Amino acid sequence: METIYVSGYTREDNKGIHTLTLNADKKAFEASELIIEENNPTYITLSKDGKHLFTLSDGNEPGVAHYENNDGQFAFKDRVKVFNENGCYLTYDDEAKVLYDANYKKGELAVIKVNEDGTLTVTDVIQHTSPVGPHENQDFAHAHFIHPTNDHKYILSCDLGTDEVHTYTLTDDNKLAEVSVYKAAPGTGPRHLAFHHSEPIVYLLGELDYTVEVLNIQEDGSLVSGNRYDTIPSDWTEFNSSAAIRLSSDNKFLYVSNRGHNSITVFEVSADGQSLTEIQNISTEGDFPRDFNFNADESFVIVGHQFQPQISLFTRDQASGLLTYVDHTNINEIVCVTPV
């Protein structure tokens, strides 16, 4: 049995953060359990040892909450206000002992120190101010992602509104110092990055133009553009908005979710990481697949849906990278999927 965390909006009957029990032998979900009641926990992140869970929260004061896992029982540790609105992305850096938070609505980024006693302290908040792109959704700066590189030398952030990917370093007093800005093609809408696990390469997902762009990280932190690929068929004329991007740990297969087209596109990655070949586009069997993730050994892919109470389960052939739909369970408004 394996545990998967799922969370999302709580505007309907969802009450917070759940665990799913995955039975790999039966290729099915066995059970689900509400473990933490939170208002709109739209993104969660775990410490590497799984003992600490951090979540976005939209309570009386929007911010971040910290829970400690004691043999499956989650004890509240602290909560801190970060922005005036709930954030959209959160990740924990075990090495620096900080959280990085992105605020879509106002194009802001924050650094939050996790103190030894488990309390949280906001150490920096910055605002993106660059000119916006041409798409109607690019009315303002919209920070959507922030995450350290594999070697923790740099922190990269996507801004959907300004068509930019920013490179920062973390100072000794836990503040962000900008070192470079990459300008994507107008109307790209940079949303998320997937990091190559052994090369200085990131794959940029464009939410608004449904593309994946290969970016090479230079020694000075700047980004250099490479090949660019579409994530949905060229004859699709209805609404679409690309959402999540994941790279298998062997660097061989890249996966992208498409909201509207309601699919996952699978790419085979070249040995040098520079080229992609589409090998599958498969329905997610639900409406608006905002997030998905692998299980621990990457033999399954779990897909949450925002507009339909469906969490879909796919087997993943680790040799071919191909997905096969096998099961589902029903929880509303899921927008974050996190394996233990």
Side-chain angles (χ1 to χ4, degrees):
M1 298 295 182
E2 186 175 345
T3 300
I4 309 291
Y5 292 98
V6 294
S7 63
Y9 290 102
T10 55
R11 297 172 294 197
E12 297 183 14
D13 60 356
N14 187 357
K15 299 298 182 183
I17 302 170
H18 302 252
T19 55
L20 299 178
T21 300
L22 172 61
N23 187 324
D25 293 334
K26 293 183 178 180
K27 301 179 181 179
F29 294 120
E30 289 281 293
S32 64
E33 180 184 0
L34 177 66
I35 56 168
I36 297 172
E37 290 198 19
E38 275 285 354
N39 193 43
N40 292 330
T42 50
Y43 219 87
I44 64 175
T45 184
L46 306 174
S47 59
K48 287 183 179 178
D49 61 10
K51 293 183 179 179
H52 300 275
L53 183 153
F54 305 94
T55 179
L56 297 176
S57 177
D58 193 19
N60 293 331
E61 289 191 330
V64 172
H66 176 198
Y67 291 86
E68 187 174 60
N69 185 352
N70 299 309
D71 296 323
Q73 301 298 312
F74 288 83
F76 174 77
K77 298 295 290 184
D78 195 25
R79 185 187 309 274
V80 64
K81 179 180 179 181
V82 182
F83 309 116
N84 289 327
E85 306 84 12
N86 198 16
C88 68
Y89 187 89
L90 185 71
T91 192
Y92 179 57
D93 184 337
D94 279 82
E95 186 172 294
K97 300 293 189 291
V98 299
L99 293 154
Y100 298 110
D101 192 358
N103 179 13
Y104 176 85
K105 291 184 179 179
K106 292 293 179 64
E108 296 171 308
L109 301 173
V111 182
I112 305 156
K113 178 66 176 176
V114 181
N115 303 306
E116 289 189 9
D117 62 358
T119 58
L120 306 174
T121 303
V122 177
T123 59
D124 196 20
V125 176
I126 65 171
Q127 171 76 60
H128 288 168
T129 58
S130 297
V132 297
H135 192 279
E136 63 181 356
N137 289 0
Q138 295 177 307
D139 57 330
F140 198 77
H142 291 302
H144 217 311
F145 174 93
I146 180 169
H147 200 285
T149 54
N150 295 330
D151 60 5
H152 295 262
K153 184 177 181 179
Y154 297 110
I155 301 99
L156 302 185
S157 170
C158 294
D159 194 297
L160 179 145
T162 65
D163 285 321
E164 292 176 337
V165 181
H166 297 251
T167 303
Y168 300 95
T169 57
L170 185 68
T171 66
D172 291 341
D173 56 352
N174 294 314
K175 297 184 183 299
L176 293 173
E178 187 174 273
V179 297
S180 180
V181 179
Y182 172 75
K183 195 75 174 182
T188 296
R191 180 181 173 93
H192 281 187
L193 298 171
F195 291 78
H196 197 281
H197 301 294
S198 57
E199 298 294 334
I201 299 170
V202 291
Y203 302 95
L204 168 63
L205 180 62
E207 174 177 325
L208 303 180
D209 70 352
Y210 339 129
T211 61
V212 175
E213 184 176 5
V214 181
L215 300 177
N216 293 275
I217 307 172
Q218 305 302 292
E219 187 63 32
D220 63 358
S222 62
L223 302 174
V224 175
S225 178
N227 296 314
R228 188 180 179 93
Y229 303 89
D230 294 329
T231 70
I232 60 171
S234 59
D235 60 356
W236 180 260
T237 58
E238 299 178 44
F239 172 83
N240 187 66
S241 175
S242 295
I245 183 168
R246 309 282 182 187
L247 179 68
S248 60
S249 60
D250 60 8
N251 298 310
K252 292 182 178 180
F253 301 101
L254 186 73
Y255 299 79
V256 172
S257 64
N258 302 294
R259 301 170 294 182
H261 194 255
N262 292 341
S263 65
I264 287 182
T265 303
V266 185
F267 296 95
E268 185 173 8
V269 183
S270 63
D272 63 1
Q274 299 293 338
S275 300
L276 307 178
T277 301
E278 183 179 332
I279 58 173
Q280 185 181 31
N281 180 271
I282 185 171
S283 170
T284 61
E285 306 294 333
D287 190 13
F288 224 67
R290 179 155 155 179
D291 195 24
F292 68 93
N293 218 324
F294 307 111
N295 71 320
D297 69 1
E298 301 183 0
S299 59
F300 292 90
V301 167
I302 302 95
V303 185
H305 295 87
Q306 184 175 343
F307 293 162
Q308 181 178 345
Q310 162 123 351
I311 302 172
S312 298
L313 180 65
F314 293 80
T315 57
R316 190 181 85 92
D317 186 302
Q318 291 168 301
S320 70
L322 299 177
L323 304 180
T324 303
Y325 174 73
V326 290
D327 192 30
H328 76 276
T329 191
N330 303 111
I331 305 176
N332 257 334
E333 298 188 294
I334 294 302
V335 299
C336 183
V337 178
T338 305
V340 174

